[in-house]
Amino acid sequence: MTTTREPAPLHTRTADDVLRCLGSSTTGLSSEAAAAALPATRARAVTNRSSHNGWALLAHQFTSPIMLVLIAATVLSGVLGDWLDATIILVIVLLSGVLDFAQERGAANSMSALLAGTKLQATTFRDGKPLEVDFDAVVPGDVIRVSGGDLLPADAMVLSSHDLELDQAELTGETYPVTKTPGPVPENTAMAERSNLLYSGTHVASGHGTAVVVATGRDTQFGQVSASLTAKRKPTGFERGMTRFGLLLTRIMVVLVVVIFVVNLVLRRPLVDSALFSLSLAVGLTPQLLPAIVGLSLARGARTIAAHHVIVKRLNAIEDFGAMTVLCTDKTGTMTEGLIRLSAPINVLGEPEPRLLATAALNATLQRGLINPMDRAIAQAASAAGLDTNGARAVGEVPYDFQRKLLSVAVASAEPIWPLPHATAMPDAVGSASAVMVTKGAFDAVVLRCAHAVGEDGAVVDLDTMLPEANRTVEHLGAQGVRVLAVAVKEVQDPDIAVEDEAGMTLIGLLTFADPIKEDAAGTIEAFNDAGVAVKMITGDAHPVARHAAGALGLDPEAILTGTELDGIGEEELPSRAASTDVFCETSPAHKHRIIEALGRAGHTVGYMGDGINDAPALKAADVGISVQGAADVAAESASLVMTEKDLGVLRQAMLAGRATFANTMKYIQMTTSANVGNMISMAVASVVLPFLPLLAAQILVINLLTDLPATAIATDRVDAKQLAHPQRWDLRLIRNYMLVFGVLSSCFDLFTFWILRAGFHSGEQEFQAAWFLGSVLTEVLVLFSLRTRGPLWRSKPSRILVLLGALVAALAFLLTLTPVGALLRLSIPPLNLVGLIVAVAVAYVAANEAIKALFWRVPSHRHPGARGKTSIG
């Protein structure tokens, strides 16, 4: 039996091997070979699948269990002859579905945005000659020429390079351009550090070179990102909760219909009447206004969140925003300022050396080559310090290259280049020569060409005496994630300098560069932790950089995983490992996506903040995808929320607004379902013990309409501060317990009212119905003010509109029962002493709810459903 060996990873193979496998050479493909490969290549192209069928998308809005329950309730209401109720439910369902359809329709342009920026041309070699071809005509095996500013059309392996640097920020999130050179790299090298590979969608920062195309379309790293965007978006945490809630109601309704139907048959009630009665009670269980309440809450929440500079693209994301337990974010520009800055000019001992800046600025500003980010940082620091060239001019230059890793500039100046008191003692440095060569570059490369160094008090000494201290300084800075360049000087007689002149130099100091942590970042992370949200950093930066940033941000620098380590963790183990990790570094887009999904499987509602192409899969996989204005188009389209300014503090305020929206939605669900359960139990018992119906169908409909009116104002209600202090998540056990506890309490008072009316007042049918009509409305309105807060009702101030609507409904209830208007509903006017008793029962009911509520919320599992600890979420 033979076994097929897996090919070695691409980055570990030689260019000759890859060219041979692709049937190519360093001079490229023939025109015939390229034409033959083109159909298969275009078949693997990234295609725009965003043109979803509109009717299918609209129909999808009505497939959730809660929507199906309400549609079933509509049909049953029609069957029972209650066309007004059926029409109301149907209108609410249709409006809710159309609103969701309108929100999701806009997401269908993600792929168009992704492809819009890639309609360009590339320089390939066909038949040994350069040829400009469209990006979609590039095939594997093509040899392409790239230079500064070019966008890469495909993934490619470097064949030759000269000062070639790739800006991979869009794909990997790295702040600094990455040097690209030919030659295989070790297998465990992170994607961001694979120096022999170029990636589609990134661009050349500097230099030029040639490369052989190894992957196009969906097979590229960029293509894998785009493929993830065409996949169906997973349901958000709130949508999953609504689904489970709908299934819970369905189960209860089925049990209820069967039990009540059987009981009525046992009591020898007519078969048809028994069936219709049990079905009508099942319809009564449905929270008919739920889609409308959710819609109102989300719309109000969107306006509130917009006031905190966050634009809501998907309304359902607001609920998940409030339920968020983990926030994953990139580092660059979110926790840091997103700019390379010169941290400090220092001597080799690590002590500040401000005079070094003027000398380094001559090298950075007078050079004639391509200005890189660190040159710009030096120039900006010099400008901020009020330094200029003072008439100095470049008279010679040895350009930077990646073999030497140096840049040397010969400078002529009337002013001393290195104004130290011991200048005359500096051997081969500054004197009467025609120019001074200022060299800047990688520490090891500069030191290799130096003979002396400036030590304590500016004294010039042999390099060997200072080298151990200099190495320790550089190692210490490297451990902090700081980039280090060395600066050296040398007196030259001939300004036409060459590489050979870069010897016998004097090391005068070090320049340190960093992307500074934002001043308020650590405090904001702590505030998120205090609010029950664990913040995790996901970055493409190297381990030392990420580790240092973690310490500065208050994250655990030991709780860190690299992309390579992630690759070695199985899917079963990853959720627990991801939950206990604060920092993920050296990550690819696939890693980010995997992390987000693992945290979701660990039971967390996950938010992800990012703005690059590399962030798009993670943004789509998260419960709450958060991007920023000015982000890559595909990232912004994949996100659910877009911030107008990249500030975690602003995001936290918007999150609290999301929690208030979620809390108000839960208020309606808990109060309505418990009231409905109570009413169903009461009606079922009354149908057995009373010689007449406790309420007529028209009376029940008017009660539902009146008591639903204040509920529409729940979206405007204030939320207790304690509820905003922790994530509020769907908890079906809590909802079930709430329904049973407060539903049974409601039934107890209903049954007590029945007994008073029949045994104490001997009420007939119309008087009984009038009294219970008034009692039903008053108890539901009054208990609304009790159950809307978890604390004592007198300590929590409801919204003004809620109070006004509650008072209006109570007044209408008295109007219908105490005036001849009630005759329209076949209600007789009850005696005033009976009215007084009903009011007393309603007040007693509210008092009982206050007492039971205090006990209910004292149970630990009910205090903060879904809340997590401050920092440990594993």
Side-chain angles (χ1 to χ4, degrees):
M1 180 177 178
T2 59
T3 58
T4 303
R5 291 184 59 186
E6 289 289 331
L10 184 65
H11 58 279
T12 66
R13 298 164 65 184
T14 64
D16 289 340
D17 178 36
V18 171
L19 286 167
R20 185 170 57 255
C21 290
L22 292 171
S24 185
S25 68
T26 55
T27 58
L29 296 171
S30 65
S31 298
E32 292 78 9
L38 189 57
T41 300
R42 284 184 168 164
R44 296 288 299 162
V46 177
T47 55
N48 188 350
R49 302 179 187 177
S50 62
S51 54
H52 303 292
N53 182 281
W55 291 110
L57 185 61
L58 179 61
H60 175 72
Q61 310 306 318
F62 302 96
T63 58
S64 69
I66 192 66
M67 281 294 198
L68 294 176
V69 167
L70 291 172
I71 291 171
T74 303
V75 174
L76 288 174
S77 296
V79 170
L80 297 172
D82 192 352
W83 292 106
L84 180 58
D85 204 18
T87 302
I88 291 172
I89 302 173
L90 183 61
V91 169
I92 290 171
V93 168
L94 289 176
L95 287 177
S96 177
V98 170
L99 178 62
D100 287 344
F101 167 76
Q103 289 291 322
E104 291 190 20
R105 185 65 172 170
N109 296 321
S110 292
M111 289 308 304
S112 297
L114 181 64
L115 297 173
T118 57
K119 298 295 185 181
L120 301 170
Q121 288 192 321
T123 302
T124 66
F125 289 88
R126 302 274 173 88
D127 301 318
K129 298 178 181 179
L131 177 68
E132 297 291 324
V133 301
D134 291 339
F135 270 26
D136 62 358
V138 173
V139 300
D142 263 331
V143 172
I144 58 174
R145 183 168 62 199
V146 295
S147 57
D150 285 352
L151 186 70
L152 269 296
D155 287 358
M157 174 175 281
V158 178
L159 299 177
S160 66
S161 66
H162 183 78
D163 303 348
L164 184 61
E165 285 191 331
L166 200 69
D167 185 343
Q168 301 179 162
E170 288 291 310
L171 189 63
T172 66
E174 299 163 289
T175 306
Y176 300 90
V178 179
T179 302
K180 297 294 180 177
T181 55
V185 296
E187 184 173 349
N188 62 352
T189 304
M191 186 190 82
E193 298 177 357
R194 294 171 186 171
S195 57
N196 59 341
L197 295 182
L198 310 178
Y199 299 111
S200 172
T202 63
H203 71 272
V204 179
S206 64
H208 58 85
T210 59
V212 57
V213 172
V214 295
T216 61
R218 298 200 297 271
D219 300 318
T220 65
Q221 292 289 336
F222 186 84
Q224 291 172 26
V225 171
S226 67
S228 71
L229 298 181
T230 63
K232 181 181 178 181
R233 183 187 290 273
K234 73 167 189 176
T236 66
F238 183 77
E239 290 167 339
R240 294 193 298 271
M242 286 284 281
T243 297
R244 293 194 297 270
F245 176 61
L247 293 174
L248 173 64
L249 287 182
T250 302
R251 289 194 294 269
I252 294 175
M253 288 172 65
V254 170
V255 171
L256 177 74
V257 168
V258 172
V259 170
I260 295 178
F261 179 67
V262 171
V263 169
N264 276 270
L265 288 182
V266 169
L267 295 174
R268 300 183 181 278
R269 301 287 172 82
L271 177 65
V272 175
D273 290 346
S274 297
L276 292 177
F277 181 73
S278 59
L279 289 173
S280 66
L281 288 185
V283 172
L285 177 64
T286 59
Q288 300 172 7
L289 280 182
L290 181 58
I293 297 298
V294 170
L296 288 171
S297 294
L298 294 179
R300 180 178 173 82
R303 290 194 299 271
T304 304
I305 290 174
H308 295 289
H309 309 287
V310 178
I311 300 168
V312 178
K313 291 181 59 196
R314 290 182 65 212
L315 285 179
N316 279 347
I318 296 175
E319 307 281 11
D320 288 302
F321 199 19
M324 185 171 64
T325 57
V326 174
L327 174 62
C328 297
T329 176
D330 58 357
K331 176 179 72 70
T332 304
T334 304
M335 299 182 180
T336 68
E337 294 182 5
L339 298 171
I340 299 174
R341 297 188 185 277
L342 177 64
S343 305
I346 58 175
N347 61 24
V348 295
L349 301 175
E351 300 164 342
E353 179 48 84
R355 291 170 293 184
L356 178 64
L357 178 58
T359 303
L362 295 174
N363 174 283
T365 59
L366 296 180
Q367 64 143 320
R368 294 185 292 270
L370 186 68
I371 303 294
N372 64 37
M374 284 177 280
D375 288 326
R376 282 193 290 270
I378 294 170
Q380 289 168 358
S383 176
L387 301 175
D388 56 37
T389 58
N390 290 322
R393 68 187 191 283
V395 292
E397 181 175 338
V398 182
Y400 181 90
D401 68 59
F402 288 96
Q403 283 70 44
R404 292 165 37 250
K405 298 183 180 179
L406 301 173
L407 167 65
S408 295
V409 179
V411 181
S413 174
E415 300 292 331
I417 299 298
W418 183 252
L420 295 176
H422 306 297
T424 55
M426 184 181 294
D428 299 325
V430 182
S432 59
S434 62
V436 172
M437 184 177 70
V438 181
T439 300
K440 168 175 64 47
F443 174 77
D444 290 340
V446 172
V447 166
L448 186 64
R449 293 164 174 81
C450 287
H452 304 91
V454 175
E456 294 182 277
D457 301 323
V460 178
V461 297
D462 286 341
L463 177 65
D464 291 342
T465 63
M466 296 300 301
L467 192 55
E469 284 289 341
N471 284 330
R472 278 193 289 271
T473 299
V474 173
E475 288 173 5
H476 175 70
L477 292 170
Q480 296 178 349
V482 176
R483 290 286 183 101
V484 179
L485 294 182
V487 181
V489 296
K490 178 186 176 183
E491 180 185 78
V492 290
Q493 301 299 326
D494 183 0
D496 188 17
I497 56 176
V499 172
E500 292 74 21
D501 293 308
E502 295 174 332
M505 298 186 293
T506 300
L507 178 66
I508 61 174
L510 307 172
L511 301 173
T512 63
F513 299 85
D515 183 4
I517 301 292
K518 288 183 177 179
E519 291 184 4
D520 60 347
T524 303
I525 290 175
E526 184 178 2
F528 268 107
N529 286 333
D530 290 340
V533 178
V535 178
K536 297 179 181 293
M537 183 172 74
I538 305 179
T539 177
D541 282 338
H543 187 283
V545 178
R547 191 178 189 281
H548 174 71
L553 290 165
L555 301 173
D556 185 357
E558 301 302 324
I560 189 168
L561 282 176
T562 66
T564 302
E565 291 170 335
L566 282 169
D567 291 334
I569 300 175
E571 293 302 318
E572 292 185 2
E573 182 187 357
L574 186 58
S576 61
R577 291 290 301 275
S580 60
T581 300
D582 279 3
V583 180
F584 302 88
C585 61
E586 301 174 7
T587 56
S588 67
H591 288 139
K592 296 180 180 183
H593 185 269
R594 232 184 126 211
I595 292 164
I596 299 304
E597 289 199 326
L599 289 169
R601 293 199 304 274
H604 296 290
T605 301
V606 185
Y608 181 81
M609 185 174 178
D611 58 8
I613 293 171
N614 60 313
D615 294 308
L619 285 166
K620 189 168 184 180
D623 293 299
V624 188
I626 307 161
S627 192
V628 65
Q629 195 171 32
D633 287 346
V634 67
E637 286 294 338
S638 300
S640 304
L641 307 174
V642 177
M643 301 175 63
T644 57
E645 55 184 84
K646 206 168 186 179
D647 186 339
L648 283 179
V650 168
L651 186 66
R652 179 179 171 274
Q653 293 300 318
M655 179 192 71
L656 296 179
R659 286 185 180 179
T661 302
F662 187 93
N664 281 333
T665 303
M666 289 299 107
K667 285 181 190 179
Y668 173 78
I669 288 174
Q670 291 167 355
M671 290 186 293
T672 301
T673 53
S674 60
N676 289 350
V677 166
N679 289 337
M680 283 169 23
I681 295 174
S682 303
M683 289 286 286
V685 173
S687 68
V688 174
V689 301
L690 292 177
F692 48 80
L693 290 176
L695 286 172
L696 300 177
Q699 296 164 358
I700 294 174
L701 178 59
V702 173
I703 289 174
N704 288 339
L705 290 174
L706 288 177
T707 55
D708 280 342
L709 189 59
T712 60
I714 284 291
T716 69
D717 195 24
R718 296 181 178 90
V719 178
D720 297 341
K722 287 184 178 180
Q723 281 188 267
L724 299 181
H726 299 273
Q728 301 294 317
R729 308 173 70 192
W730 275 98
D731 188 335
L732 289 188
R733 184 177 64 176
L734 171 65
I735 294 173
R736 182 198 62 204
N737 293 345
Y738 198 99
M739 277 195 302
L740 292 176
V741 170
F742 293 98
V744 169
L745 178 63
S746 173
S747 291
C748 289
F749 273 84
D750 285 341
L751 296 177
F752 175 73
T753 304
F754 294 168
W755 179 77
I756 290 291
L757 291 174
R758 293 293 290 168
F761 287 83
H762 305 290
S763 299
E765 180 177 359
Q766 289 193 350
E767 183 178 275
F768 183 100
Q769 291 169 350
W772 198 27
F773 179 93
L774 178 62
S776 295
V777 175
L778 290 182
T779 52
E780 287 205 39
V781 169
L782 291 177
V783 83
L784 176 66
F785 293 95
S786 171
L787 297 184
R788 56 165 289 278
T789 174
R790 296 180 182 181
L793 68 86
W794 56 86
R795 291 184 182 173
S796 179
K797 187 178 181 181
S799 68
R800 180 176 300 178
I801 188 171
L802 185 61
V803 174
L804 291 175
L805 288 177
L808 174 63
V809 168
L812 289 174
F814 280 111
L815 176 69
L816 288 171
T817 52
L818 298 180
T819 69
V821 177
L824 297 173
L825 297 175
R826 295 173 60 184
L827 296 173
S828 65
I829 300 175
L832 291 180
N833 60 342
L834 180 55
V835 172
L837 176 65
I838 293 298
V839 172
V841 169
V843 172
Y845 174 54
V846 172
N849 270 277
E850 283 293 297
I852 297 298
K853 180 179 71 176
L855 294 174
F856 184 85
W857 292 117
R858 193 174 295 169
V859 177
S861 62
H862 293 163
R863 290 177 188 169
H864 310 297
R868 302 275 174 171
K870 286 187 179 180
T871 56
S872 176
I873 63 168

